[in-house]
Amino acid sequence: MKRLTLLLAVVAVSACAPSVTTTTSPAAATASVERMAKDVQTVASDAFLGRGPATPGEELTINYLVAQLKAAGLEPGVNGSWFQDVPLLQADIVGAPSLTVNVAGKRMDLKQGEQIAVRASMRNVDRVTFTGPLVFLGYGVKATERNWDDFKGADLRGKIGVVLINDPDFETGQGDFGGKAMTYYGRWTYKYEEAARQGLNGLLIVHETAPASYGWPTVKNSNTNTMFDIVRTNPAEVHPPLEGWIQRDFAVELFRAAGQDFDALKRQAQTREFRPVPLGDATFAANYTVTSRTIRSKNVLGRVPGTTHANETILYGAHWDHLGIGPPDARGDSIYNGAIDNGTGIAAVLELARLFKAGPRPQRTIVFAFWTAEEKGLIGSEYYAANPVYPLETTVAGFNIDALAVTGRARDVLVVGSGQSDLDDRLKSVLAASNRVITPDPTPEAGYFFRSDHFPMAKRGVPMLYMDSGIDLLVGGTAAGRAADTEYRRDAYHQPADNYDPAKWSFAGIADDVNILYAMGLQLANSRDWPNYRTTSEFRPARDKSASSRK
Ligand SMILES: [Zn+2]
């Protein structure tokens, strides 16, 4: 009955105002809270063992995903298969690495995890051993479109660079790098990639809490552990032989011993005129053994083919993996179920797949991707971006969903990395239809836009939206939204307690957001539009390079 009433209303409107098009009305989509609750309940159950890649939990997870996609009537997304094989390189340092600085006749032995945190090499080598001069390279940034080059053509081959974290205008708050907000030039992944391009033997990033946005324990834990990467044809293109961080106190001491002043050099580094500064006669020596092996996991992809522009793609994605089995918590629970992170994202993308299959067939192709190994460093999505099944040049836009709130309906949605692309404007107008608004990225200085699965595509120029749950709740407003977020981060995030809880949870807000994402994707799918990054974005040049392949 209800459906019939709606249909009559649409017909009536069309008759009065024939110029109004109703084909992309958000009313066409109605996400089901029941279906999504069941998806989360299933993938976050103990039977799925925390969905660790290359564990029995993977088998259960990917089979469940395929069963759901098949039941919804989707086509396999990878040339007739549901799976994209993802080989992961896993590397560990064996024992305590020998790491030494010699400066002005003084020898400093560095302890892994204390003054320094060195990552296991991801170049598929058995041993890292070298000695080289240390040189300070400012923020380690080469940004042609901003007329900025910290290297000034210096010959850096064989040297060990020391750089600052974040970008050159973080401390002053104004300049060509978005002020306080972090551009990609501020992220450590960029700094290692640039170091490889510069031919450096190694790069040490000076840790400071405010510009890094996290403390030394985070640096220590994530860098002295097992490292993961995709298997690359030429890892030397993105990884210098040595990658690591040093504590600020140690950097200050090293600079002083080399006859330099850390703070004075930092101020120089905030200017365009900065040039590389050799740290006196300081040399850095490293010697350690590395073991590497390859493990295998899978991305899962399904699609709804487009009618008239099937070779143009809109991508929805969420990571299926979580942390697996780990150290037990106080209650003895050792299964990291990942119900919110990212059971909710899995459920949302499955539901989007069902909606697109059930609704009017779109003109462009819609692809639904479930990435592996996000928790190990965006591995599945990076593998896809490096080996795309659908060409990135003709991927119209993409949407990433990672950990949605189960706190009920909100007046807003959050956009992580707001201001990057004109997808913001499209989202704004779709939201307006239901009187909702965008809350801009609350912590742009932390660079969260560079830390989830849309990023490997974004870096290569594909316009990507990372929309997250709003905080201005219909019941309780922003106070309630913030409190719930704080509670989740404290009590459940990346802990065994991230469990499905039907008594406390509401999927109503998630359903609203899925409807918004559906409407946005359908609108793009039935248009000839090509969204893009704004001219101020560091990702605009990468997109514009392939402009001729988009008509
Ligand atoms: Zn996640």
Side-chain angles (χ1 to χ4, degrees):
M1 270 322 259
K2 201 172 178 196
R3 187 173 275 178
L4 188 65
T5 320
L6 267 176
L7 191 66
L8 287 172
V10 169
V11 170
V13 168
S14 309
C16 304
S19 63
V20 175
T21 152
T22 54
T23 51
T24 58
S25 162
T30 4
S32 154
V33 297
E34 291 80 16
R35 281 192 300 251
M36 290 192 287
K38 184 167 173 285
D39 289 333
V40 177
Q41 183 176 21
T42 307
V43 301
S45 64
D46 281 355
F48 281 62
L49 302 169
R51 301 190 305 278
T55 70
E58 163 158 359
E59 229 24 60
L60 286 171
T61 308
I62 63 178
N63 289 343
Y64 180 78
L65 293 172
V66 171
Q68 292 305 309
L69 294 171
K70 271 187 186 162
L74 267 77
E75 288 185 3
V78 190
N79 309 313
S81 164
W82 296 101
F83 304 118
Q84 179 179 41
D85 287 320
V86 179
L88 288 85
L89 180 77
Q90 185 178 333
D92 286 278
I93 293 177
V94 183
S98 161
L99 305 160
T100 311
V101 167
N102 278 288
V103 56
K106 193 171 145 195
R107 178 188 162 113
M108 302 161 150
D109 287 313
L110 309 184
K111 194 158 177 227
Q112 171 80 322
E114 289 187 11
Q115 300 94 340
I116 192 165
V118 168
R119 293 149 66 87
S121 171
M122 282 162 280
R123 287 171 49 135
N124 222 343
V125 294
D126 300 332
R127 187 159 203 86
V128 174
T129 176
F130 61 79
T131 303
L134 282 160
V135 54
F136 177 61
L137 298 169
Y139 285 87
V141 169
K142 182 170 178 167
T144 320
E145 82 284 2
R146 282 156 221 255
N147 188 25
W148 193 284
D149 180 4
D150 285 331
F151 306 101
K152 305 285 191 297
D155 182 5
L156 298 171
R157 278 169 301 174
K159 295 182 180 168
I160 316 299
V162 177
V163 297
L164 303 165
I165 191 62
N166 216 309
D167 56 33
D169 65 5
F170 172 78
E171 307 247 330
T172 59
Q174 40 185 252
D176 295 314
F177 293 84
K180 277 275 167 216
M182 188 192 275
T183 60
Y184 185 50
Y185 301 106
R187 185 87 175 127
W188 55 264
T189 49
Y190 165 78
K191 294 178 194 288
Y192 292 141
E193 291 160 9
E194 189 59 48
R197 286 191 284 271
Q198 296 291 330
L200 281 156
N201 230 344
L203 192 77
L204 298 171
I205 301 171
V206 180
H207 174 260
E208 296 184 274
T209 301
S213 84
Y214 38 76
W216 179 256
T218 302
V219 171
K220 177 185 164 175
N221 292 338
S222 49
N223 289 277
T224 63
N225 243 312
T226 303
M227 302 306 306
F228 292 90
D229 194 9
I230 65 169
V231 171
R232 300 177 188 273
T233 339
N234 185 7
E237 271 175 6
V238 288
H239 294 297
L242 180 135
E243 300 170 330
W245 291 69
I246 52 176
Q247 290 246 43
R248 182 186 194 277
D249 288 351
F250 170 69
V252 170
E253 189 188 339
L254 164 67
F255 280 48
R256 195 183 298 126
Q260 296 287 352
D261 180 74
F262 179 77
D263 288 310
L265 283 189
K266 185 197 263 189
R267 279 191 298 277
Q268 276 184 36
Q270 290 158 4
T271 68
R272 271 205 170 76
E273 292 68 43
F274 175 83
R275 307 190 139 266
V277 180
L279 291 175
D281 68 351
T283 57
F284 181 88
N287 186 9
Y288 51 88
T289 306
V290 179
T291 52
S292 314
R293 64 192 185 103
T294 302
I295 58 174
R296 283 173 196 284
S297 186
K298 287 180 170 67
N299 289 330
V300 179
L301 283 89
R303 72 173 176 201
V304 173
T307 50
T308 50
H309 295 94
N311 56 346
E312 299 169 1
T313 315
I314 288 149
L315 182 66
Y316 289 95
H319 70 88
W320 64 251
D321 71 305
H322 195 55
L323 303 169
I325 310 270
D329 65 6
R331 298 174 315 159
D333 186 0
S334 61
I335 301 176
Y336 289 65
N337 303 75
I340 284 180
D341 183 11
N342 190 21
T344 54
I346 291 173
V349 174
L350 280 176
E351 189 62 9
L352 282 157
R354 294 175 188 124
L355 294 176
F356 271 100
K357 183 60 195 176
R361 199 167 147 201
Q363 292 167 16
R364 286 164 156 169
T365 296
I366 319 283
V367 174
F368 305 89
F370 302 85
W371 314 117
T372 182
E374 187 270 355
E375 305 286 8
K376 302 190 186 311
L378 319 183
I379 307 290
S381 53
E382 173 68 26
Y383 189 82
Y384 176 88
N387 307 275
V389 180
Y390 301 87
L392 298 184
E393 311 84 69
T394 48
T395 299
V396 179
F399 302 90
N400 176 47
I401 307 176
D402 193 353
L404 298 172
V406 287
T407 40
R409 307 182 70 180
R411 292 182 189 89
D412 60 340
V413 298
L414 219 104
V415 173
V416 181
S418 50
Q420 283 282 5
S421 79
D422 56 36
L423 290 171
D424 290 10
D425 306 329
R426 291 162 192 276
L427 174 61
K428 192 177 163 191
S429 70
V430 171
L431 284 167
S434 45
N435 287 315
R436 300 179 69 205
V437 294
I438 293 177
T439 292
D441 193 337
T443 51
E445 69 281 7
Y448 283 108
F449 187 68
F450 318 124
R451 302 196 201 176
S452 192
D453 283 317
H454 57 287
F455 186 62
M457 274 68 78
K459 189 166 83 169
R460 291 166 172 89
V462 180
M464 298 294 291
L465 184 75
Y466 181 13
M467 187 181 107
D468 205 347
S469 306
I471 43 161
D472 186 3
L473 304 182
L474 254 50
V475 180
T478 52
R482 290 221 173 86
D485 186 57
T486 306
E487 189 187 306
Y488 168 68
R489 281 173 198 284
R490 188 191 59 215
D491 299 340
Y493 174 70
H494 282 199
Q495 297 168 44
D498 187 356
N499 282 313
Y500 174 63
D501 188 348
K504 276 202 207 152
W505 285 23
S506 163
F507 277 84
I510 295 182
D512 283 351
D513 293 351
V514 165
N515 291 339
I516 294 293
L517 289 170
Y518 173 78
M520 237 185 124
L522 188 61
Q523 213 175 68
L524 280 169
N526 291 337
S527 79
R528 298 303 307 137
D529 295 353
W530 295 100
N532 204 342
Y533 286 97
R534 299 198 197 279
T535 49
T536 46
S537 167
E538 59 270 42
F539 309 114
R540 176 71 182 240
R543 188 59 166 178
D544 286 350
K545 251 184 230 164
S546 63
S548 63
S549 45
R550 291 182 292 277
K551 299 277 151 43

